[in-house]
Amino acid sequence: MPVVNETGLDGIFNLKLVWTPDTDHPRSDGPPSLPTAIAEQLGLRLVSETRSVPVLVIDHAERPGEN
């Protein structure tokens, strides 16, 4: 999904984030899920929203002719 940065933080950051990929069977003894890791380790939160996004629709394509 697209992510919109609304933190107000500019620049490049070098960080290490420890998390467990989404699985059907979460482990209670391992690293946290991605949203939890972002909140706990970076002090940020992910918020799911419905927004309008630009979309490009190609309804037809042809090979270029010999020019």
Side-chain angles (χ1 to χ4, degrees), residues 1 24-26 42 50 54 63:
M1 293 205 286
D24 292 336
H25 306 287
L42 304 179
T50 301
R63 292 187 178 269

Side-chain angles (χ1 to χ4, degrees), residues 23-47:
T23 63
D24 292 336
H25 306 287
R27 294 177 17 193
S28 61
D29 60 340
S33 67
L34 183 58
T36 301
I38 290 173
E40 292 176 352
Q41 299 170 38
L42 304 179
L44 302 173
R45 64 186 170 111
L46 296 175
V47 177

Side-chain angles (χ1 to χ4, degrees), residues 13-65:
F13 298 87
N14 184 11
L15 52 93
K16 180 178 180 180
L17 186 65
V18 180
W19 57 281
T20 299
D22 291 336
T23 63
D24 292 336
H25 306 287
R27 294 177 17 193
S28 61
D29 60 340
S33 67
L34 183 58
T36 301
I38 290 173
E40 292 176 352
Q41 299 170 38
L42 304 179
L44 302 173
R45 64 186 170 111
L46 296 175
V47 177
S48 178
E49 294 182 345
T50 301
R51 290 188 174 196
S52 297
V53 294
V55 176
L56 174 64
V57 177
I58 300 172
D59 62 358
H60 182 78
E62 294 182 10
R63 292 187 178 269

